[in-house]
Structure formats: structure tokens, C-alpha cells
Amino acid sequence: MSTFFQSVQSCDVRQLGINPEHWYVVARSSEVTNKPLGVEIWHQAIALYRDSNGKVHALEDRCPHRQVKLSHGLVIGDELECAYHGWRFHSQGECAAVPYLAANQKLPNCKIRSFPVKEQDGFIWLFPGDQKPSVEPLALPEWDHLNYIATVSVINCQAHYSYLIENLMDMYHGHLHQDLQAWAAAELQDIDEDDHHVDAHYQAQSYYKIDKIWSISQLFFPALRRLHPEPLDVSYVYPHWMSTLGKDFKIYCLLCPVSETQTKAYLIHFTSLNAFWRLHKLPIWFRRLIKNSLFGAAQKLLDGLVVQDVQMIEEEQQAYLQAPQRRNYELNRALVSVQKLMRNQVENWRMRKRE
């Protein structure tokens, strides 16, 4: 057995860091204004803000003067001003002004780190790595598509991100959700995997089939649901997750790991209107009105699923902290592949840094 394989296999996945050479979601677009917003990704505090042109910037959330959080301050023009002494900083992190600077003094030669950010598909994506990004953020083509209705739920769990990913990849846990679940009787068919993703293909019984206008009522009235077979595909495209249930539903989970025991994520559920061909002939402005009006239509359903999952995930984390040596007995081989991918991503990044 090679040394590399041994090091990957011996690494405790519950203590695993992240590969920073990827794009992570740190906020929704609507959350970032000209008032600084403090966020955190893997032990790194970051201040997000918009400049006078509405462009989003990300700076290390500390003033190098006294090390207080810049997110307590204000945006003045295109500069971020510290609330404590009024020092201002450019979007690239250099000190731009000190209000009490004497005539014979120069600006402090201090700089804080700036991070690449992109605003895409309603979210703020941040690249925490040291190198220039060589990859693009995960695309959400349904976000602006007029045939898809979106609902967004925020996941905040006191647990390592691996527990959340494993929960999302394990379709055998539908038993947990009872009346809220969209599927039943999942059976794992096969797995496709490489260094960047794990695709698990299940066959399941779906409770929903959106093919007529009245059929949407199934989302709200369980008594109207009828089981029918549908393919259920879930994918861990490091570091994020996506799922497709038949032709009607697409779900994404966009990760923001905070620490070894805290994870934030955004769960985005899309309901397809593709079956309603008459709707496609309506004016664009009217279709956009329908899409915007129905935003969040599945909120109660999605939030209910999140609450149930988070309870289990946090219990898993607590059980690990109390007895990390205790062994789990796992039967779903998709989770073995998921853990391998997590380890390999971090190990490969570490090896590149050492080169």
C-alpha cells in the first residue's frame, strides 16, 4: 500500500479541513448591501460589502490597526471604514486614509487580505484559496430560467460538513421525513466517481408528479399524492451537492463550511413548470411575474426537511465528540465514495502546496 493511500485512509474525515481552491457560497446577493456584512468560512472571518457602483468586495474582517472587525464599520464611497478609529481601506486591502494623520506622517504600510468574489445566480461566491482561481462556481441554470420556481432554505448546523454531505447523499434516510418526504423505497443502482465528483443513481418511488395544473396541489395536500417510480440522482460535485428527482424537481445545496463543528449551507429547491406547454406561450413579462410571485412556494416543506435533518446531523456530531473511537456500521457504499473524495481533495491540495 502506498504512503499516499495510507495517509488518505488514516485521516479522520470528521476533522478534515477543506480544499480552498474552490468557490464557496458565503451569502445571498440580497444580504450584501453598502452596509458591511460579516461572514466566516473555515476559521476565516470576512467582511462583504458593495461599493458605490454596487460591485461586491470581500476583505479579511479585521482592521490591522487594533484587530477589530471591519464589518462593524461603514462603506464610504468605495472604501471600507473601521468603526473604531475611522481608518479606511481600498477594496484590495491597502490603507486608504487615517482621519487624524499628521502632515509629517505617511499612511501606515499595512494591508489586509482581499478575496476573489463573484455574484452569480442570486448568491455571493468566494474563493478562499491563495492561487488565482482556475475553476468556475457551480452553475444554477434554473435560477433565472422562467420554467423553474425556486425556494431557498438556510441550513445552520453545529456539525462538520461531512455529516451534511453524507445525509444528502444517503437516500435511504427518507424514513426520517415521513409526510414531508418526496420519495420512498430508494434503491441504489450504481455509482460514478472521479477526483471531482460522486454521482449516486437511485431508483425510488416519488410522491409527486407535476404534469397538470391541479397536480401542484400535491405539494401541499399529502392525501392527493400517489406513488410512482422515478429515477433519483444525487451528486457530490466537490464542494457542493445537487439532486434530481424525475423531471419535476431539482435541488442544490451550496456549502460554506465554518469550522470542524459548524456548517452553513443554502438549500435551493426548484419545481419545474416544463410540463405546462401553454404557459410557455404567454408573454415573457407575465411568465416572469408568475416565477417571482411563486418564489418560496415550497418554503414550509423545505424548512421542515431541514429541521429534521439538522437534528440528526447534530446528534451524529455530538456522538462523535463523546466517543470518537466508536465505529459506525455503514451499508451505503455511496458514502464510502463520498468520504474518499473529501479526503482526496484535501490531500491533493496539501501535496500541491508542498511542491
Side-chain angles (χ1 to χ4, degrees), residues 135-173:
V135 295
E136 292 296 323
L138 180 69
L140 277 62
E142 298 84 1
W143 185 262
D144 290 319
H145 199 296
L146 294 177
N147 289 353
Y148 289 88
I149 306 303
T151 298
V152 179
S153 186
V154 181
I155 299 174
N156 281 299
C157 58
Q158 302 302 308
H160 189 268
Y161 70 88
S162 61
Y163 288 112
L164 175 57
I165 293 299
E166 290 174 20
N167 168 275
L168 293 167
M169 291 295 289
D170 183 10
M171 293 297 100
Y172 293 132
H173 84 276

Side-chain angles (χ1 to χ4, degrees), residues 217-344:
S217 59
Q218 297 171 89
L219 298 174
F220 311 103
F221 301 104
L224 299 177
R225 300 170 190 166
R226 297 293 181 268
L227 285 172
H228 64 281
E230 291 278 17
L232 175 55
D233 297 322
V234 292
S235 299
Y236 182 33
V237 184
Y238 190 94
H240 307 293
W241 175 89
M242 66 176 68
S243 171
T244 303
L245 176 60
K247 298 180 180 179
D248 299 323
F249 303 100
K250 187 73 175 282
I251 307 178
Y252 296 85
C253 190
L254 309 179
L255 272 284
C256 179
V258 177
S259 71
E260 288 83 357
T261 56
Q262 185 178 354
T263 302
K264 183 176 182 179
Y266 293 86
L267 195 65
I268 307 103
H269 178 284
F270 291 102
T271 301
S272 169
L273 302 179
N274 285 321
F276 307 135
W277 60 270
R278 288 186 177 87
L279 181 66
H280 308 162
K281 295 185 177 182
L282 296 174
I284 296 296
W285 68 266
F286 186 71
R287 293 173 63 190
R288 184 170 290 112
L289 177 64
I290 292 175
K291 177 181 174 73
N292 294 338
S293 299
L294 292 177
F295 183 89
Q299 198 71 59
K300 184 176 180 180
L301 172 70
L302 204 61
D303 289 348
L305 291 169
V306 167
V307 168
Q308 293 175 344
D309 281 333
V310 166
Q311 180 184 1
M312 294 296 106
I313 290 168
E314 291 184 345
E315 286 190 15
E316 286 185 278
Q317 176 69 65
Q318 288 305 309
Y320 168 80
L321 293 176
Q322 292 168 13
Q325 77 286 351
R326 188 174 292 159
R327 176 188 171 191
N328 286 355
Y329 292 85
E330 184 54 62
L331 299 178
N332 189 342
R333 57 194 175 94
L335 303 198
V336 176
S337 296
V338 164
Q339 289 193 0
K340 178 183 174 183
L341 175 57
M342 293 175 186
R343 291 187 177 105
N344 286 345

Side-chain angles (χ1 to χ4, degrees), residues 5-193:
F5 184 76
Q6 287 178 325
S7 65
V8 170
Q9 293 300 310
S10 62
C11 177
D12 187 346
V13 73
R14 311 308 179 191
Q15 297 292 328
L16 201 62
I18 64 171
N19 181 347
E21 306 296 329
H22 289 273
W23 292 91
Y24 294 82
V25 167
V26 290
R28 292 181 64 177
S29 291
S30 58
E31 295 179 277
V32 183
T33 66
N34 60 357
K35 186 180 186 308
L37 174 69
V39 298
E40 187 173 355
I41 179 168
W42 206 254
H43 302 286
Q44 175 66 66
I46 293 170
L48 302 173
Y49 68 96
R50 292 185 188 273
D51 64 20
S52 59
N53 294 314
K55 184 178 179 181
V56 178
H57 301 283
L59 290 177
E60 188 179 353
D61 195 5
R62 67 175 184 89
C63 177
H65 175 215
R66 296 288 183 88
Q67 313 305 320
V68 300
K69 288 184 176 296
L70 284 173
S71 56
H72 295 323
L74 297 172
V75 178
I76 307 296
D78 295 337
E79 298 166 358
L80 186 53
E81 182 184 74
C82 180
Y84 199 2
H85 291 83
W87 289 32
R88 294 185 188 178
F89 297 87
H90 292 304
S91 61
Q92 294 304 308
E94 302 96 343
C95 184
V98 175
Y100 51 87
L101 193 70
N104 62 344
Q105 289 180 310
K106 295 181 179 180
L107 282 173
N109 185 24
C110 56
K111 183 178 181 179
I112 53 175
R113 186 178 174 188
S114 63
F115 296 86
V117 284
K118 287 189 178 184
E119 187 168 11
Q120 176 180 302
D121 298 326
F123 293 90
I124 305 302
W125 300 75
L126 183 139
F127 189 88
D130 296 325
Q131 306 298 319
K132 183 178 179 181
S134 60
V135 295
E136 292 296 323
L138 180 69
L140 277 62
E142 298 84 1
W143 185 262
D144 290 319
H145 199 296
L146 294 177
N147 289 353
Y148 289 88
I149 306 303
T151 298
V152 179
S153 186
V154 181
I155 299 174
N156 281 299
C157 58
Q158 302 302 308
H160 189 268
Y161 70 88
S162 61
Y163 288 112
L164 175 57
I165 293 299
E166 290 174 20
N167 168 275
L168 293 167
M169 291 295 289
D170 183 10
M171 293 297 100
Y172 293 132
H173 84 276
H175 178 76
L176 169 68
H177 299 303
Q178 300 300 322
D179 289 342
L180 293 176
Q181 71 187 46
W183 77 95
E187 294 183 7
L188 182 63
Q189 303 294 303
D190 59 83
I191 299 171
D192 299 319
E193 58 185 305

